[in-house]
C-alpha cells in the first residue's frame, strides 16, 4: 500500500516534470540558453571603450544608417566622445574621431592596427587574397611588390604623365562631341581614369565605345554601390542565413565574379606571348615573380593572388579618382565664380594650347586649393577603409583587443566646425593663405601610416591633369531649367547622385 502510494507519487512527479517540458517552455529554455551564449559572446573585456546598448545577435547593426553611414552616429559621438564602440553583430567595432587620436590609430600604432577585417562577404569573394583587404604576410608581400612594380611602370615618371595627358586629351574630345548639350559625364570620366591604371596593370587602354569594357565599368560601379547597402552588410552579420536567400548580395557576388573573370582572361592572354625578360605591365611582372616563387608553398605569389591584387588595383585606381572628378565638375557647375578663377589661373600659367603638366602645379595655388577642397567636400571615404587590431593594444587609455575593427571618422576631421571656416560649404580659401597654397595637417583623404593609400601620388597627378584639362577647354554649367544639388549616393564610396551638365567649349 505504502510502496504503491510512493510509486504513484513518483509517477505523478514524472508526469508533472514531463508536463512542465511542454513546447513553449522548451522554446523559452532554448531562447534563454541562446541569450546566455549571446551575452557571453557580446561581453567586452575590461576597460573597453564605452558605447550605446546593443541588441542580442545583431549588436548595434540597426543603429547604423547605411544610407548615411558617415553621419549616423552623431549622438553617440556627442555622448561618448572621440572613441566609442558599435558592435556589428558579434564583430567588435570602435569609431575614432579627432586629429590626435586618428593620427595615433593610423600612424603611430601602425604596427598594431594594421590588419583589415575579413568579413564573411569579402571571404566569400576574395578568400584572404589581394591587396586592399588582405592582412599579415600576404598583405606585406603583395603591397611591397605592387609598390615597386607600379614605380617601375611609371609612377612618378615622365611617361606616366604623358599617358595621363594623352588620356585627358581623348576625354576632352569625347566631351566636345556633346556640343554643349546636357549629358551625364559619369562613364566617360570613369573610362578615362580607368585607362590610366589599366595601361599599368593590363598594358592596354579601352576605347570609350568598347561596349564590353563599358559593361565592366558599370559592374564596378554596381558592386561599389551594393557592397555598402544594408542588405549586403546583413550578410556579414548572419551569413549562414543570407547565403540561402536571394537578393542584392547575390547580385554583388555575380558582379565580382564577372570582374575576376575579366582579369583571369587578360592573364590568360598575357601568358600566350609572355617574355620574362621584357615585362610589359603589372601582370607580366607578377608572372615572373610567380616563377621565382614556384614550389615555395609559403609564398603568396600564386595565380589566385595575381587575380585579386590586379583586380584591387583596377578597382581602387578607378572608382576613387573617377568619383572625385565627378564631384569636381559638379562643384564647378554649382560655383561659377570659383570656376572662373581657376580658368583665369590656367590661362595665365598654362595658356589655352599647352598641355597641363604636374610641373605647373606649384605655380597654380588656386587650382591646387580647389582640388584639395573637392577632396575635402567630396569626402569619398568618410569612415576611411576599416582597419583591424593585429595585437592587443590601447588607444586613449582604453583596451582594444586583437580583432577589434577600427573605423576612423574622416568626416569629423574634414568637417569640424572649429577647424574649417565654412565646414559645409565649398570654399577653396580653406587651403589658401595670402594667395599661397596652404598645406593642412588635419586633412587626410588618403589616410596615413603603413597602410595608407598606395596610389596617392598617381591619384594626385590624375586629379590635377584631368581637372585642369577640363577647365582649360570647357565651362561647366547646369542644364537650363535643371538645378544641380549635392545629393549623394552612399556605397563603399560617397558618390554624387547621378547628374547632367553642359560642357560649353570656351571661346
Ligand atoms: C582620389 C583618389 C583616392 C583616394 C581618396 C584614396 C583613398 C584611400 C584610402 C583612404 C585608403 C585606406 C588607407 C588606410 O587604410 O589607411 C586607400 C587605400 C588604397 N588605395 Fe587609394 N585612394 C585614391 C586613389 C587610389 C588610386 C588611383 C589607386 C591606384 C593604385 C589606389 C590604390 C589603393 C590601394 C591598393 C589601397 C589599399 C592599401 C593597403 O591596404 O595597403 N588608390 N585609398
Ligand atoms: C562622424 O563625424 C560626423 C561629423 O562630425 C558626424 O556627423 C557622424 O555622426 C560621425 N560618424 C560616425 C559613424 O561616428
Ligand atoms: C618562401 O616564401 C617565403 C614567403 O615569401 C619566404 O620568406 C621564404 O624565404 C621563401 N623560401 C624560399 C626557399 O625561397
Amino acid at each position: 500500500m505504502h510502496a504503491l502510494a510512493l510509486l504513484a507519487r513518483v509517477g505523478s512527479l514524472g508526469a508533472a516534470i514531463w508536463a512542465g517540458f511542454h513546447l513553449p517552455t522548451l522554446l523559452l529554455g532554448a531562447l534563454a540558453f541562446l541569450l546566455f551564449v549571446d551575452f557571453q559572446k557580446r561581453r567586452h573585456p575590461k576597460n573597453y571603450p564605452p558605447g550605446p546598448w546593443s541588441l542580442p545577435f545583431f549588436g548595434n547593426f540597426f543603429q547604423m544608417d547605411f544610407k548615411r553611414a558617415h553621419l549616423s552616429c552623431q549622438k553617440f559621438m556627442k555622448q561618448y566622445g572621440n572613441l566609442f564602440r558599435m558592435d556589428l553583430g558579434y564583430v567588435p567595432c570602435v569609431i575614432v574621431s579627432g586629429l590626435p587620436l586618428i593620427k595615433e590609430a593610423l600612424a603611430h600604432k601602425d604596427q598594431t592596427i594594421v590588419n583589415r577585417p575579413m568579413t564573411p562577404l569579402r571571404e566569400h569573394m576574395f578568400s584572404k587574397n589581394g591587396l586592399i583587404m588582405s592582412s599579415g604576410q600576404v598583405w606585406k608581400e603583395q603591397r611591397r611588390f605592387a609598390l615597386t612594380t607600379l614605380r617601375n611602370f611609371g609612377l612618378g615618371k615622365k611617361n606616366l604623365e604623358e599617358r595621363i595627358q594623352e588620356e585627358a586629351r581623348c576625354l576632352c574630345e569625347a566631351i566636345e562631341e556633346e556640343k554643349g548639350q546636357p549629358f551625364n559625364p559619369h562613364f566617360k570620366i570613369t573610362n578615362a581614369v580607368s585607362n590610366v591604371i589599366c595601361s599599368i596593370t593590363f598594358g592596354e587602354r579601352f576605347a570609350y565605345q568598347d561596349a564590353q569594357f563599358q559593361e565592366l565599368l558599370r559592374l564596378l560601379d554596381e558592386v561599389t554601390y551594393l557592397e555598402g547597402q544594408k542588405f549586403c552588410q546583413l550578410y556579414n552579420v548572419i551569413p549562414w542565413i543570407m547565403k540561402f536567400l536571394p537578393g542584392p548580395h547575390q547580385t554583388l557576388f555575380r558582379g565580382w565574379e564577372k570582374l575576376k573573370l575579366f582579369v583571369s582572361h587578360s592573364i590568360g592572354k598575357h601568358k600566350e606571348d609572355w617574355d620574362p625578360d621584357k615585362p610589359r605591365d603589372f601582370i607580366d611582372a607578377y608572372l615572373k615573380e610567380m616563377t621565382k616563387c614556384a614550389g615555395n608553398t609559403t609564398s603568396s605569389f600564386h595565380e589566385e593572388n595575381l587575380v585579386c591584387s590586379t583586380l584591387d588595383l583596377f578597382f581602387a585606381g578607378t572608382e576613387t579618382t573617377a568619383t572625385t572628378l565627378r564631384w569636381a565638375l559638379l562643384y564647378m557647375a554649382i560655383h561659377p565664380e570659383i570656376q572662373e578663377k581657376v580658368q583665369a589661373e590656367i590661362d595665365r600659367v598654362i595658356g589655352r594650347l599647352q598641355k597641363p603638366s604636374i610641373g605647373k602645379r606649384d605655380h597654380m595655388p588656386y587650382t591646387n586649393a580647389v582640388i584639395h577642397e573637392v577632396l575635402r567636400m567630396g569626402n569619398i571615404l568618410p569612415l576611411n577603409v576599416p582597419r583591424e587590431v593585429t595585437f592587443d593594444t590601447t588607444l586613449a587609455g582604453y583596451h582594444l583587443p586583437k580583432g577589434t575593427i577600427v573605423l576612423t571618422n574622416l568626416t569629423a576631421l574634414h568637417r569640424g566646425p572649429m577647424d574649417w571656416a565654412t565646414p559645409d560649404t565649398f570654399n577653396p580659401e580653406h587651403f589658401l593663405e595670402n594667395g599661397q597654397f596652404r598645406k593642412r595637417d588635419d586633412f587626410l583623404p588618403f589616410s596615413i601610416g603603413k597602410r595608407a593609400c598606395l596610389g596617392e601620388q598617381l591619384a594626385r597627378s590624375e586629379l590635377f591633369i584631368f581637372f585642369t584639362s577640363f577647365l582649360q577647354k570647357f565651362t561647366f554649367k547646369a542644364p537650363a531649367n535643371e538645378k544641380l544639388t549635392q545629393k549623394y549616393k552612399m556605397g563603399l564610396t560617397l558618390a554624387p547622385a547621378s547628374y547632367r551638365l553642359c560642357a560649353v567649349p570656351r571661346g
Side-chain angles (χ1 to χ4, degrees):
M1 183 64 197
H2 226 87
L4 235 125
L6 199 69
L7 214 66
R9 285 255 173 93
V10 173
S12 67
L13 186 67
I17 290 173
W18 179 242
F21 271 126
H22 63 315
L23 200 60
T25 319
L26 259 178
L27 285 180
L28 220 67
L31 187 67
F33 178 72
L34 279 177
L35 281 173
F36 176 73
V37 172
D38 171 80
F39 179 74
Q40 292 296 327
K41 274 182 100 166
R42 281 190 301 124
R43 261 205 349 208
H44 294 290
K46 243 170 66 186
N47 197 24
Y48 193 71
W53 58 272
S54 65
L55 279 175
F57 313 118
F58 292 97
N60 301 99
F61 183 79
F62 294 106
Q63 282 144 301
M64 276 295 245
D65 176 355
F66 284 84
K67 287 210 171 62
R68 304 165 62 247
H70 61 304
L71 301 175
S72 71
C73 302
Q74 196 138 31
K75 60 172 187 273
F76 303 136
M77 206 165 84
K78 282 214 179 88
Q79 191 174 348
Y80 301 105
N82 281 343
L83 179 61
F84 63 90
R85 63 155 201 264
M86 287 290 280
D87 295 342
L88 299 175
Y90 292 128
V91 184
C93 178
V94 296
I95 297 175
V96 182
S97 320
L99 184 64
L101 216 50
I102 286 183
K103 264 192 171 160
E104 190 179 341
L106 294 176
H108 306 159
K109 291 255 153 70
D110 68 1
Q111 304 284 345
T112 48
I113 312 185
V114 74
N115 277 359
R116 297 277 190 221
M118 182 40 69
T119 59
L121 259 182
R122 282 273 142 182
E123 179 120 42
H124 181 95
M125 296 175 300
F126 294 91
S127 184
K128 291 178 169 45
N129 294 310
L131 195 48
I132 306 179
M133 297 309 280
S134 58
S135 297
Q137 191 64 20
V138 176
W139 168 70
K140 266 195 198 133
E141 290 178 9
Q142 297 301 309
R143 175 150 176 142
R144 195 185 311 131
F145 177 78
L147 269 173
T148 19
T149 311
L150 288 187
R151 247 180 245 131
N152 290 342
F153 286 106
L155 220 66
K157 284 194 193 151
K158 198 75 197 154
N159 62 355
L160 187 69
E161 180 172 0
E162 282 163 14
R163 192 72 275 290
I164 303 172
Q165 288 169 331
E166 175 57 16
E167 199 58 56
R169 192 188 58 77
C170 295
L171 180 55
C172 285
E173 264 174 25
I175 292 177
E176 195 150 11
E177 281 164 20
E178 303 289 344
K179 299 198 165 31
Q181 294 306 304
F183 77 113
N184 181 345
H186 188 147
F187 283 103
K188 281 194 172 116
I189 292 178
T190 313
N191 201 332
V193 166
S194 192
N195 277 344
V196 177
I197 191 75
C198 283
S199 66
I200 300 175
T201 50
F202 305 117
E204 58 178 325
R205 74 177 283 273
F206 300 89
Y208 305 155
Q209 295 82 16
D210 183 332
Q212 203 199 343
F213 191 64
Q214 289 285 321
E215 171 61 13
L216 281 176
L217 295 179
R218 196 196 57 75
L219 279 173
L220 216 52
D221 217 57
E222 182 173 72
V223 296
T224 310
Y225 174 68
L226 284 179
E227 203 166 324
Q229 299 311 297
K230 194 165 207 155
F231 210 77
C232 288
Q233 288 304 321
L234 199 58
Y235 185 94
N236 288 335
V237 182
I238 43 170
W240 59 92
I241 299 173
M242 298 298 284
K243 219 178 341 198
F244 300 103
L245 298 183
H249 56 298
Q250 305 289 1
T251 316
L252 177 70
F253 293 149
R254 279 195 301 275
W256 280 119
E257 220 37 70
K258 283 185 206 154
L259 287 161
K260 275 167 101 172
L261 217 59
F262 165 74
V263 177
S264 332
H265 188 70
S266 175
I267 293 168
K269 279 197 295 187
H270 277 72
K271 283 181 180 166
E272 281 167 18
D273 50 4
W274 178 59
D275 178 351
D277 298 324
K278 289 203 192 78
R280 295 159 293 189
D281 48 39
F282 181 81
I283 291 180
D284 273 358
Y286 203 106
L287 288 171
K288 187 163 178 180
E289 194 68 22
M290 273 165 61
T291 57
K292 272 197 228 160
C293 302
N296 186 343
T297 45
T298 50
S299 156
S300 68
F301 292 96
H302 47 68
E303 185 94 20
E304 188 59 19
N305 248 332
L306 166 56
V307 174
C308 293
S309 285
T310 309
L311 182 52
D312 275 352
L313 285 175
F314 175 47
F315 168 72
T318 300
E319 278 304 310
T320 48
T321 313
T323 304
T324 307
L325 282 171
R326 274 189 284 138
W327 278 121
L329 292 192
L330 183 61
Y331 283 123
M332 288 307 97
I334 293 178
H335 301 282
E337 69 294 349
I338 294 173
Q339 177 167 219
E340 253 171 53
K341 280 193 180 172
V342 175
Q343 287 171 328
E345 191 175 65
I346 292 172
D347 290 353
R348 199 170 62 246
V349 181
I350 306 178
R352 290 291 181 93
L353 298 170
Q354 211 189 342
K355 279 182 267 183
S357 60
I358 302 297
K360 293 281 194 293
R361 186 165 48 192
D362 289 344
H363 307 287
M364 302 175 69
Y366 194 79
T367 308
N368 201 11
V370 167
I371 293 173
H372 281 72
E373 184 68 356
V374 169
L375 282 164
R376 185 187 75 84
M377 284 293 287
N379 192 27
I380 64 165
L381 291 165
L383 294 173
N384 207 334
V385 178
R387 302 259 192 111
E388 190 187 276
V389 176
T390 318
F391 307 103
D392 286 13
T393 190
T394 53
L395 194 61
Y398 289 108
H399 175 66
L400 297 186
K402 175 179 182 321
T404 308
I405 295 185
V406 176
L407 295 177
T408 40
N409 191 343
L410 298 182
T411 312
L413 203 58
H414 296 162
R415 297 282 180 94
M418 308 298 273
D419 312 307
W420 305 87
T422 59
D424 296 314
T425 308
F426 191 91
N427 174 8
E429 298 301 324
H430 287 139
F431 293 94
L432 289 166
E433 199 164 31
N434 303 324
Q436 290 308 306
F437 179 73
R438 173 185 172 205
K439 203 170 171 301
R440 300 195 45 153
D441 292 338
D442 47 1
F443 176 70
L444 303 172
F446 298 97
S447 187
I448 41 170
K450 275 204 176 56
R451 197 112 211 196
C453 178
L454 180 148
E456 173 169 355
Q457 201 191 5
L458 175 62
R460 286 183 181 276
S461 305
E462 288 191 57
L463 290 177
F464 182 78
I465 293 181
F466 278 116
F467 184 68
T468 45
S469 302
F470 292 155
L471 293 205
Q472 185 185 39
K473 297 275 183 291
F474 308 100
T475 300
F476 295 90
K477 290 184 174 150
N481 308 324
E482 278 179 43
K483 193 164 159 38
L484 291 174
T485 68
Q486 300 178 38
K487 280 208 190 92
Y488 57 78
K489 199 172 146 184
M490 185 76 201
L492 287 183
T493 57
L494 188 63
S498 173
Y499 66 79
R500 302 197 312 157
L501 44 63
C502 303
V504 182
R506 293 179 64 197

